[in-house]
């Protein structure tokens, strides 16, 4: 601006000084200054915030105060491109309307530079550089509003500051974003768990309604990713509401938010730049508060063997199934196994954790958030699981963005950190910088992920540019045995690189990995945290190819939605010299193929891809004699111990034949193998223990015993134990490894007939088949757990599910029918059922509604002369979810 101004010809000289003062005052408002605050007077003004020395195509934010009505707007530009058109700012509290009739008061600009380290994410060591301008405005009746605007090379953010002590009640924000009407958009409808697909639209053409963060908009070659940062219990989260006019209003989760002042609201955030900027940005974390943990040495991200998609709840209640996934993790060098919903109805968790820790694997435990929603529950549960040796928790079903829920997040994160427990949030809000503030948060779900079973390739390829761009995402890839396959095997493998998550919960079965040895080999090598991230190519909903560096190795991952073709991968991110590149891709026979290439940074890798396909790879320095980038992995043998039969019946003085078989399936050999059978006191077993000095992979050791039941034994159930002991030569410090399998022998009471031993005339069950001598499981026969009511385990009985019915023929031969009935413990306090007993079509008994918290209900009735007995289970009037009903110890006496 010129230092002086010419007077208009013929104008009086006395007007020069006021005009000059007005001009200088306007300049003070319009120019960004450093150091002392600039004072502003008057109702209007326009201010630009940008990085010092920013290039012409740099990011700028423009704040304007309309002199006519005192309203504020913010505009975001990238160079000459307006990415976000002027959209309103302001906030309304119960005490003041700070969205209009504002007057500028002061302005202060400073440079913000922060260096920090993360335990998770796309880049572990970070430097945040932002220009911050703090504005103050005065509203009606002297109410004060602070507006803080930050501009970084990768975006714009703003928040409100309400100064002064006392309680502040926010009724709404006037905040909004306005992309240009024709801007392309990738949006997901809002839901409390963020589990909806992204779909393309335009900014103005998107249907009216609520949309979740992050929302992606494209203007020319520039993108804006809208989200928020620094949300905790002082406030609540928000969503975007499109009224159909192209403006996206910020709508709070609660009707009002109450907090103690001074209050700083969350950052309304726009990551701005090309797609590489969007996917590589750390702006959301840069805006978040620093870590609250001084010591993060105990925090260890890593790969996880997760059994949910290979057996669901039944697998979580089965100790053998969970030991199998621990063994899977140990066989591939993965540090964790996750036990999901169902384990809390069992009593073997300390045993599993001890088993896993002996094999170098830590156990993560699923828990419903309501199990930890009070201080008393946390004070009891968290120390308990820590004493067991659990490494962390998967906490599920929060399903709310309310201020109350964020206060709970504050509490649970403080308490889990105190007990040094890692956290994975499912059914959760979006990451909003929480992983910087609480570094033990390894990942969050908040995605329409692999658990849905049918994620289309176009939806999957939108996620790197949207949901995963703002923080770790627990998509749970590799579930080959589940759902409908929508991408190729190589594309699924690529997700281990394309999707960032501090804990990668790999959802495949043991068989799925065995059928794909190249995939399993790559998963042994790929890390879950990164020193550097590069987007190499791609478009939202179409494709994404990433290079991520961990130490001195680069890992590649590419996935696309569409026809087969060739992916051209530029390697100019590499340093000088020669490199070895190993690529795993889809072969023509449907299997996975590994190829090796010697390359330099000037080369381009041409990778053939299948329909909805992809590839994964790793690149390392080429040194003399090196033919692979693989690093050594410590593996334990993947073994399988079986005991046959698992259940048997024998009369006093009788015998049972038992066979044990111990096999080494992968990662052998096992050495110093010994197979034995333990029997109860007074019982005898004919047969010697079996040994082998070494068992290579693919070989097995078997033992046979004849077990004799004492003649004077009491009726009931007795446990025999087949035990295998062995060593792992690749991990000598692990000592002797043990695995056991029970054989349950039931000695019946003389003269008693158990209903589970009778043929059914007819049967009907609400879920899966009726189970004999076990609880109702999933859809397959004999997949239930032990019949358990109020902590008591029963050897005999029927496992059913409402609505169900069993008919057996008695022929008038029995006098009494007795049983203990109720909701099986495996569903906890859930489930409501009623039981009916009919004899020859006549109702003999109807219980009231029983739930999972009730004790077992005793049934004892006269069935003299009854020819046909009907056992019926009804739902409790609230649907059939979790209605697992047991007819425990159901017996007939003559």
């Amino acid at each position: 601006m010129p230092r002086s101004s010419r007077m208009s010809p013929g104008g009086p000289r006395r007007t020069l000084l006021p005009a000059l003062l007005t001009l200088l005052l306007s300049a003070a408002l319009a120019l960004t200054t450093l150091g002392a605050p600039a004072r502003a007077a008057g109702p209007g003004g326009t201010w630009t915030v940008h990085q010092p020395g920013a290039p012409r195509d740099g990011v700028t934010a423009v704040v304007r105060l309309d002199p006519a009505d005192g309203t504020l707007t913010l505009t975001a530009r990238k160079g000459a491109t307006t990415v976000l058109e002027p959209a309103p700012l302001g906030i309304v509290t119960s005490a003041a309307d700070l969205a209009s009739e504002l007057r500028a008061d002061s302005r202060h600009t400073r440079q913000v530079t922060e260096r920090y380290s993360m335990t998770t994410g796309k880049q572990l060591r970070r430097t945040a550089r932002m220009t911050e301008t703090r504005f103050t405005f005065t509203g009606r009746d002297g109410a004060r509003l602070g507006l803080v605007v930050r501009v970084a090379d990768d975006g714009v953010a703003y928040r409100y500051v309400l100064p002064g002590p006392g309680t502040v009640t926010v009724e709404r924000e006037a905040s909004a974003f306005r992309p240009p009407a024709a801007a392309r958009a990738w949006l997901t409808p809002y839901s409390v768990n963020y589990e909806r697909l992204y779909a393309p639209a335009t900014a103005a053409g998107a249907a009216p309604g609520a949309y979740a963060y992050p929302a992606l908009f494209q203007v020319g070659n520039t993108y804006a990713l809208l989200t928020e940062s620094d949300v905790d219990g002082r406030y609540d989260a928000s969503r975007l509401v499109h009224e159909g006019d192209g403006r996206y209003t910020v709508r709070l989760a609660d009707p009002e938010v109450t907090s103690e002042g001074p209050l700083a609201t969350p950052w309304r955030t726009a990551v701005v730049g090309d797609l590489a900027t969007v996917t590589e940005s750390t702006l959301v974390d840069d805006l978040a508060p620093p870590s609250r943990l001084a010591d993060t040495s105990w925090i260890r991200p890593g790969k996880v063997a997760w059994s949910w998609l290979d057996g669901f709840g039944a697998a979580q209640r089965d100790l053998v199934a969970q030991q199998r996934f621990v063994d899977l993790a140990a066989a591939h060098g993965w540090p964790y196994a996750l036990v999901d919903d169902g384990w809390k109805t069992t009593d073997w968790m300390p045993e599993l954790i001890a088993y896993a820790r002996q094999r170098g694997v830590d156990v993560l435990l699923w828990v419903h958030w309501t199990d930890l929603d009070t201080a008393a529950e946390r004070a009891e549960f968290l120390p308990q699981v820590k004493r067991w040796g659990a490494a962390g928790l998967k906490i599920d079903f929060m399903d709310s963005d309310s201020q109350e829920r964020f206060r709970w997040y504050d509490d649970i994160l403080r308490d889990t950190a105190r007990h040094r427990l890692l956290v994975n949030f499912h059914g959760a809000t979006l990451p909003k910088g929480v992983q910087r503030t609480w570094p033990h948060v390894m990942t969050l779900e908040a995605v329409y992920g692999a658990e849905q079973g049918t994620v289309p390739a176009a939806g999957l390829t939108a996620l790197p540019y949207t949901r995963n761009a703002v923080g770790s995402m627990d998509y749970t890839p590799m579930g080959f045995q589940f759902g409908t396959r929508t991408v190729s095997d190589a594309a699924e493998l690529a997700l281990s690189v394309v999707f960032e998550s501090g804990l990668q919960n790999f959802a495949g079965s043991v068989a799925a990995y065995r059928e794909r040895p190249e995939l399993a080999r790559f998963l042994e090598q790929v890390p879950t945290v990164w020193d550097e991230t590069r987007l190499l190519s791609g478009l939202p909903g179409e494709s994404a190819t990433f290079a991520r560096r961990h130490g001195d190795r680069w890992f590649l991952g590419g996935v696309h939605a569409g026809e087969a073709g060739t992916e051209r991968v530029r390697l100019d991110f590499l340093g000088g010299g020669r490199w070895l590149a190993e690529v795993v891709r889809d072969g023509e026979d449907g299997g996975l193929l590994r190829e090796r290439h010697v390359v330099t940074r000037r080369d381009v890798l041409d990778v053939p891809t299948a329909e909805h396909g992809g590839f994964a790879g790793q690149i390392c320095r080429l040194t003399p004699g090196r033919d692979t980038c693989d690093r050594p992995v410590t593996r334990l043998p993947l073994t399988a111990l079986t005991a046959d039969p698992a259940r048997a019946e024998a009369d006093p003085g009788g015998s049972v034949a038992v066979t044990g078989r111990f096999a080494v399936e992968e990662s052998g050999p096992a050495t110093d193998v010994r197979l034995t059978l333990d029997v109860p006191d007074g019982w005898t077993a004919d047969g010697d223990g079996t040994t082998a000095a070494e068992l290579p992979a693919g070989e097995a050791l078997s033992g046979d015993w004849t077990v004799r039941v004492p003649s004077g034994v009491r009726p009931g159930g007795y446990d025999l134990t087949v035990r295998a002991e062995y060593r792992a030569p690749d991990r000598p410090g692990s000592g002797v490894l043990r695995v056991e399998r029970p054989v349950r022998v039931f000695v019946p009471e003389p003269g008693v007939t158990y209903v589970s031993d009778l043929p059914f005339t007819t049967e009907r069950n609400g879920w899966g088949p009726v189970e004999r001598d076990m609880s109702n499981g999933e859809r397959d026969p004999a997949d239930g757990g032990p019949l358990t009511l109020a902590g008591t385990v029963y050897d005999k009985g029927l496992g059913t599910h409402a609505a169900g019915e069993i008919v057996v023929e008695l022929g008038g031969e029995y006098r009494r029918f007795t049983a203990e009935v109720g909701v099986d413990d495996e569903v906890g306090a859930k489930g409501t059922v009623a039981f009916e007993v009919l004899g020859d079509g006549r109702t003999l008994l109807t219980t009231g509604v029983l739930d999972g918290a009730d004790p077992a209900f005793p049934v004892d009735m006269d069935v003299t002369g009854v020819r046909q007995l009907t056992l019926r289970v009804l739902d409790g009037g609230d649907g059939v979810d979790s209605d697992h009903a047991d007819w425990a110890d159901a017996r007939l006496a003559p």
Side-chain angles (χ1 to χ4, degrees):
M1 179 170 293
R3 297 180 62 184
S4 61
S5 176
R6 289 184 178 271
M7 182 177 60
S8 299
R13 293 183 60 86
R14 64 178 178 271
T15 64
L16 177 61
L17 184 57
L20 183 58
L21 289 174
T22 300
L23 191 62
L24 290 174
L25 179 60
S26 298
L29 289 171
L31 292 177
T32 299
T33 61
L34 298 176
R39 301 294 298 177
T46 300
W47 305 273
T48 300
V49 184
H50 60 79
Q51 290 278 66
R56 287 187 175 182
D57 62 350
V59 177
T60 58
V62 179
V63 177
R64 182 175 184 272
L65 180 63
D66 191 318
D69 57 10
T71 58
L72 285 166
T73 59
L74 183 138
T75 305
R77 297 187 181 123
K78 179 76 164 66
T81 301
T82 298
V83 184
L84 296 173
E85 295 179 347
L89 304 175
I91 193 168
V92 177
T93 74
S94 60
D97 182 344
L98 294 170
S100 62
E101 298 184 38
L102 298 172
R103 293 176 61 84
D105 184 18
S106 66
R107 177 172 48 91
H108 181 276
T109 297
R110 69 184 182 111
Q111 295 306 120
V112 177
T113 301
E114 296 179 351
R115 292 177 175 84
Y116 64 97
S117 295
M118 296 282 288
T119 59
T120 57
K122 61 187 81 171
Q123 182 181 338
L124 291 181
R125 286 175 292 278
R126 304 181 182 182
T127 301
R129 294 185 176 90
M130 295 171 278
T131 297
E132 175 187 282
T133 297
R134 291 177 171 263
F135 300 89
T136 58
F137 300 93
T138 302
R140 283 173 290 183
D141 301 323
R144 303 293 296 277
L145 171 67
L147 171 67
V148 184
V149 178
R150 285 187 176 181
V151 173
D153 292 339
D154 54 350
V156 172
Y158 67 86
R159 76 189 323 170
Y160 307 114
V161 176
L162 302 179
T167 300
V168 179
T169 299
V170 175
E171 296 180 346
R172 66 179 178 88
E173 290 187 23
S175 315
F177 297 97
R178 188 188 288 276
R184 295 186 67 192
W186 289 266
L187 302 171
T188 179
Y190 176 79
S191 66
V192 291
N193 54 22
Y194 295 80
E195 295 178 23
R196 303 286 293 275
L197 283 169
Y198 275 85
T202 62
Y211 293 94
Y213 299 118
L216 181 66
F217 297 90
Q218 179 186 4
V219 184
N221 294 322
T222 303
Y223 293 79
L225 184 71
L226 307 183
T227 188
E228 58 186 354
S229 178
D230 188 15
V231 185
D232 58 24
R234 296 168 299 167
Y235 215 69
D236 64 3
S238 66
R239 66 206 69 165
L240 297 173
V241 176
H242 182 221
E243 302 293 349
D245 59 355
R247 183 171 72 174
Y248 289 79
T249 301
V250 174
R251 181 78 53 81
L252 300 180
D254 293 306
E256 60 183 32
V257 176
T258 300
S259 191
E260 292 301 312
L263 173 65
T265 69
W267 293 99
R268 307 292 166 223
T269 307
V271 180
V272 176
D274 58 16
L275 285 176
T277 300
V278 168
T279 55
E280 298 166 21
S281 171
T282 62
L283 182 60
V284 172
D285 292 331
D286 295 346
L287 293 165
S291 172
R292 297 187 182 179
L293 304 184
D295 178 16
T296 60
S297 61
W298 55 276
I299 298 172
R300 185 171 61 132
K303 293 164 282 193
V304 186
W306 184 50
S307 57
W308 181 259
L309 298 187
D310 188 39
F312 304 101
Q316 316 312 306
R317 298 187 293 271
D318 186 344
L319 174 60
V320 174
Q322 294 309 311
Q323 288 176 334
R324 181 78 164 156
F325 274 83
V326 166
D327 290 342
L328 172 68
H332 291 290
W334 301 349
Y336 297 108
L338 168 61
V339 189
D340 217 281
D341 184 14
W343 70 269
K344 290 191 72 177
T345 62
T346 71
D347 61 0
W348 43 251
M349 186 52 68
E351 178 183 349
L352 176 69
I353 292 175
Y355 177 93
R357 297 189 81 173
Q358 189 185 29
R359 287 157 175 78
V361 176
D362 282 321
V363 173
L364 307 167
L365 302 177
W366 179 96
V367 64
H368 197 289
W369 84 274
T370 55
D371 295 329
L372 299 171
D373 63 343
T374 69
E377 288 171 333
R378 294 190 294 272
E380 178 181 359
F381 181 79
L382 298 180
Q384 179 187 59
V385 297
K386 190 64 178 180
R387 284 193 301 269
W388 291 349
L393 302 177
K394 173 183 173 180
I395 309 176
D396 208 345
F397 293 117
M398 283 70 69
D399 290 343
S400 174
D401 274 327
S402 68
Q403 183 181 25
E404 177 187 18
R405 194 71 78 248
F406 273 93
R407 286 172 174 163
W408 174 85
Y409 278 117
D410 294 344
D411 293 339
I412 193 65
L413 289 171
R414 178 197 63 232
D415 292 347
T416 49
R418 182 180 298 139
H419 292 284
R420 296 194 166 193
L421 291 166
L422 305 180
V423 172
N424 169 11
F425 285 124
H426 265 234
T429 191
L430 198 72
K432 306 171 190 293
V434 66
Q435 291 176 278
R436 178 184 179 187
T437 308
W438 296 105
H440 63 304
V441 178
M442 294 289 93
T443 190
L444 303 90
E445 185 185 25
V447 66
Y448 188 88
E451 290 183 54
Q452 307 294 335
T454 56
V455 183
L460 184 151
T461 50
L463 294 174
Y465 309 98
T466 52
R467 161 62 184 90
N468 205 195
V470 298
S472 290
M473 179 180 75
D474 193 13
Y475 179 86
T476 67
M478 311 304 154
F480 297 98
Q481 74 285 348
F482 171 74
T484 301
R485 307 296 308 139
T486 61
V487 297
S488 73
D489 282 6
E492 190 76 23
L493 177 61
L495 300 185
S496 65
V497 178
V498 173
F499 291 164
E500 181 273 312
S501 182
L503 291 176
Q504 282 282 17
N505 287 292
F506 294 144
S509 66
V510 174
Y513 298 120
R514 183 175 298 149
E515 292 164 2
R516 300 165 175 83
E518 289 294 354
L519 177 139
R521 176 179 169 183
F522 185 85
L523 293 182
E524 291 179 353
Q525 298 294 320
V526 66
T528 67
V529 294
W530 307 101
D531 296 305
E532 190 175 352
T533 290
R534 301 281 187 91
L535 175 68
L536 302 184
S537 63
L539 291 171
E542 297 181 17
S543 65
T545 299
F546 281 85
R548 300 189 193 264
R549 181 177 62 83
H550 181 86
D552 59 358
R553 282 190 295 177
W554 286 92
F555 288 82
L556 302 175
V559 60
H560 79 272
E563 298 178 353
T566 299
E567 180 74 19
R568 293 182 58 80
V569 184
R570 297 179 60 88
L571 301 177
D572 52 2
F573 58 88
L574 296 173
R578 297 200 303 165
W579 298 75
L580 175 63
E582 296 181 88
V583 175
V584 181
R585 64 175 180 86
D586 294 299
E588 295 180 0
D589 61 355
L592 291 173
L593 177 67
R594 178 180 290 254
E595 297 177 331
R596 293 176 175 84
H597 308 269
V598 176
V599 297
T600 70
R601 68 186 315 273
R602 296 183 297 276
D603 291 327
V604 176
L605 278 178
D606 290 328
V607 183
T609 56
E611 181 182 14
H612 300 316
F615 65 95
Q618 57 176 323
I619 304 177
C620 60
R621 285 282 184 185
L622 183 66
T623 57
R626 169 174 278 179
D627 61 358
T628 180
C629 293
D630 286 354
R631 302 285 172 82
V633 175
T634 301
R635 304 179 183 90
L636 263 64
L638 178 62
T639 65
L641 175 64
T642 57
D644 185 48
R647 302 171 64 92
E649 290 191 17
D651 293 323
S655 65
V656 177
V658 176
T659 297
R661 183 178 185 273
F662 178 77
V664 178
E665 298 178 339
E666 298 176 23
S667 306
T671 59
D672 301 331
V673 183
R674 184 167 179 252
L675 193 60
T676 57
L677 176 69
D678 290 346
V679 298
D681 291 341
W683 297 46
T684 60
D686 297 332
D688 295 328
T690 306
T691 62
E694 181 175 291
L695 272 184
E699 294 193 9
L701 183 68
S702 295
D704 296 290
W705 299 269
T706 299
V707 179
R708 310 229 174 247
V709 183
S711 57
V713 70
R714 286 186 173 187
Y718 296 85
D719 286 325
L720 289 60
T721 303
V722 176
R723 177 181 297 109
E725 298 179 334
Y726 61 100
R727 294 181 182 272
D730 286 347
R731 190 182 287 175
S734 59
V736 176
L737 301 173
R738 296 177 180 84
V739 59
E740 299 176 346
R741 295 290 177 261
V743 174
R744 184 74 170 180
V745 178
F746 181 72
V747 179
E749 185 175 335
V752 170
T753 299
Y754 295 94
V755 177
S756 58
D757 294 335
L758 297 176
F760 298 156
T761 302
T762 62
E763 65 172 296
R764 173 172 54 86
N765 208 40
W767 176 257
V770 173
E771 298 289 4
R772 298 176 185 266
D773 303 328
M774 63 179 62
S775 68
N776 179 244
E778 301 296 337
R779 291 189 177 274
D780 295 329
D783 65 354
L787 293 158
T788 311
L789 296 175
T792 299
V793 178
Y794 298 84
D795 287 283
K796 302 293 288 184
L798 302 170
T800 62
H801 194 290
E805 181 179 278
I806 303 159
V807 179
V808 294
E809 298 296 330
L810 303 188
E813 299 177 1
Y814 298 96
R815 182 177 55 85
R816 301 208 69 78
F817 168 67
T818 60
E820 301 285 327
V821 301
V823 177
D824 195 276
D825 286 0
E826 66 190 359
V827 296
K830 297 180 288 185
T832 55
V833 299
F835 295 82
E836 288 186 351
V837 180
L838 294 83
D840 296 330
R842 180 171 58 90
T843 300
L844 304 178
L845 171 74
T846 299
T847 70
V849 174
L850 305 175
D851 63 31
D854 289 323
F857 184 95
V859 174
D860 186 351
M861 65 185 54
D862 188 347
V863 291
T864 302
V866 171
R867 303 191 64 81
Q868 193 174 72
L869 183 70
T870 301
L871 306 179
R872 186 176 293 164
V873 178
L874 309 174
D875 76 81
D878 57 354
V880 297
D881 181 51
S882 301
D883 285 352
H884 290 219
D886 293 347
W887 298 85
D889 199 28
R891 57 170 67 190
L892 294 157

